[in-house]
Amino acid sequence: MYQIDFHTPAHIYFCGIGGISMSGLAEILLERGFQISGSDMKASPLTERLSKAGAKVLIGQKAQNITPDIDCVVFTSAIHRDNPEYLETERLHLPMLSRAELLGQFMRNYSCPIAVSGTHGKTTTTSMISEIMMAADTDPTLSIGGMLDSIGGNIRIGSGPYFVAEACEYTNSFLSMYPKIALILNIEEDHLDFFKDLEDIRRSFRLFAGKVPADGTLIINGDIENYEKLTQDLSCQICTFGTASSNDYYPLDISSLGEKGEIAHIMTPGGAVEIRLRIPGRHNIYNAMAALATADQLQIDPAITLKALRNFEGSRRRFEYKGTFNDVTVIDDYAHHPTEIASTLTAAADCPHNRLWCVFQPHTYSRTKALMEDFARALAKADVVVLSDIYPARETDNLGISSADLQQRIAALGTECYYLPDFESIEKFLAKKCIHQDMLITMGAGDIVKVGEALVQK
């Protein structure tokens, strides 16, 4: 396997350079003096940022983009083997790495890499840890799966020994990582286009936990069913957080402040502390507990940790306020799994509003089909649901389903639900139907955010 050496810059080509993680890795290598080029299917703020930083970004993926002077080509898991750039890389016998393999090699260049895994909450928890570490002047390098305003994007390049990154389980990407501190926030059914079932997912998380060295720490949610099976026989230190008092970190109480956030008293190994958050949602208290446990492992002053959490304003697309139209509050959220949807809508219910509207864009046919009933129950927490077409992402087979199937199940649960395939129809419908003091949440991992932004701009 090709090895990245920070001390010997080379020419690295990124196929899919506009992705949130790929762009961040490319930016780190640019900063290290590497020659960076790459392609994506369309221009974006991330590709523009890379171009300004000195990368050669090509729009469109073609065989002629791959040239013999390239030392290594990096591919995302979304790139198929029939991609012309993949085929040309093979024809030229150029070294290649997956995005996950490159990320894992990055970790070997830092003495304390931190990897945040779990079905939900990775970006928020990684962002919380990032804010704490910056407040503590540890000068970390950060790779976040979302945009964080305090660092002006999704990447921060530091000179300290710490590298903080999200660890995604899809296609077992996180098994290419080498964390000194690993977090497992939760484990649920997802990515069933790759995994067989929940037990298959648990096996992968067990392998991930086993990547932590004997002098490292695994921070794991004690609410995960039979979590002990994931941690048995591990040589590293085990630290737990969760609802029960048997955990190392657990809440004594949690109170919602509505749109102003959450407040909780948390028992820790060092005694009780008070966590105040500006972002709403009970689930974020548990994200904050995981971040607090991480900070304690790094021996950061708890006063610095709690202040950083208190000042944390969230990352983009996580219950992000977008503005108003016709006295209607517009929020955007990245939730695309039933548990995430339920948590977000529960948080929204604590905020002042008349009716709660959820405009949901299902993400991938396989996820929608596998979790159809769970999606229906979660979305039924809203007063009114509007569904767009399914965002296919990497998939081409619709598996014989559409958002109309989900609409029928939500309506059967007694919740008012509409299916309007295109964004223009949705915008016109909402402009007429949303009224004084309603709250509108655009939700999904695709591009549904455009609907709320268009309404606010009118």
Side-chain angles (χ1 to χ4, degrees), residues 195-214:
F195 294 109
K196 296 177 182 178
D197 50 28
L198 181 58
E199 191 56 37
D200 190 24
I201 296 170
R202 285 175 61 91
R203 279 194 292 270
S204 285
F205 274 95
R206 174 63 176 87
L207 291 172
F208 172 69
K211 305 285 287 186
V212 183

Side-chain angles (χ1 to χ4, degrees), residues 13 117 196 219 260 277 361 365 380 438 442:
Y13 185 95
S117 77
K196 296 177 182 178
I219 299 170
K260 295 182 180 179
L277 299 178
Q361 181 184 42
Y365 302 109
D438 282 353
T442 56

Side-chain angles (χ1 to χ4, degrees), residues 29 34 56 63 65 79 127 162 191 208 210 226 290 312 319 394 421 456:
L29 290 178
F34 282 67
K56 180 182 179 182
N65 293 343
I79 300 298
S127 298
Y162 304 104
H191 301 303
F208 172 69
N226 295 323
F312 178 60
F319 212 87
R394 56 190 171 265
V456 168

Side-chain angles (χ1 to χ4, degrees), residues 390-411:
I390 296 172
Y391 188 84
R394 56 190 171 265
E395 297 181 344
T396 56
D397 185 350
N398 66 15
L399 304 178
I401 63 166
S402 77
S403 291
D405 300 297
L406 181 56
Q407 186 270 337
Q408 292 174 4
R409 285 167 171 77
I410 295 170

Side-chain angles (χ1 to χ4, degrees), residues 248-317:
D248 298 307
Y249 295 77
Y250 62 91
L252 299 170
D253 57 63
I254 302 176
S255 301
S256 171
L257 303 177
E259 78 277 15
K260 295 182 180 179
E262 305 286 328
I263 183 171
H265 293 93
I266 306 298
M267 183 58 71
T268 80
V273 299
E274 181 183 86
I275 289 179
R276 287 181 176 266
L277 299 178
R278 294 186 181 184
I279 54 175
R282 183 185 183 94
H283 59 289
N284 281 318
I285 289 295
Y286 290 90
N287 292 334
M289 277 197 288
L292 173 60
T294 304
D296 284 351
Q297 288 297 315
L298 299 175
Q299 298 184 330
I300 294 174
D301 184 343
I304 293 175
T305 298
L306 297 173
K307 182 178 180 180
L309 289 172
R310 189 164 60 247
N311 292 335
F312 178 60
E313 296 183 345
S315 49
R316 293 185 202 171
R317 299 218 63 202

Side-chain angles (χ1 to χ4, degrees), residues 90-154:
E90 285 190 320
R91 191 186 73 81
L92 294 176
H93 302 292
L94 295 177
M96 62 175 71
L97 290 172
S98 69
R99 178 203 63 84
E101 288 169 339
L102 176 61
L103 183 55
Q105 289 192 20
F106 270 45
M107 288 189 167
R108 291 185 178 277
N109 287 275
Y110 296 85
S111 60
C112 188
I114 301 169
V116 182
S117 77
T119 311
H120 333 291
K122 290 187 292 294
T123 296
T124 296
T125 306
T126 304
S127 298
M128 287 177 169
I129 293 170
S130 298
E131 295 286 10
I132 293 167
M133 294 182 71
M134 289 189 292
D137 294 325
T138 62
D139 198 17
T141 296
L142 311 171
S143 179
I144 303 172
M147 307 300 281
L148 189 61
D149 286 340
S150 61
I151 62 174
N154 66 309

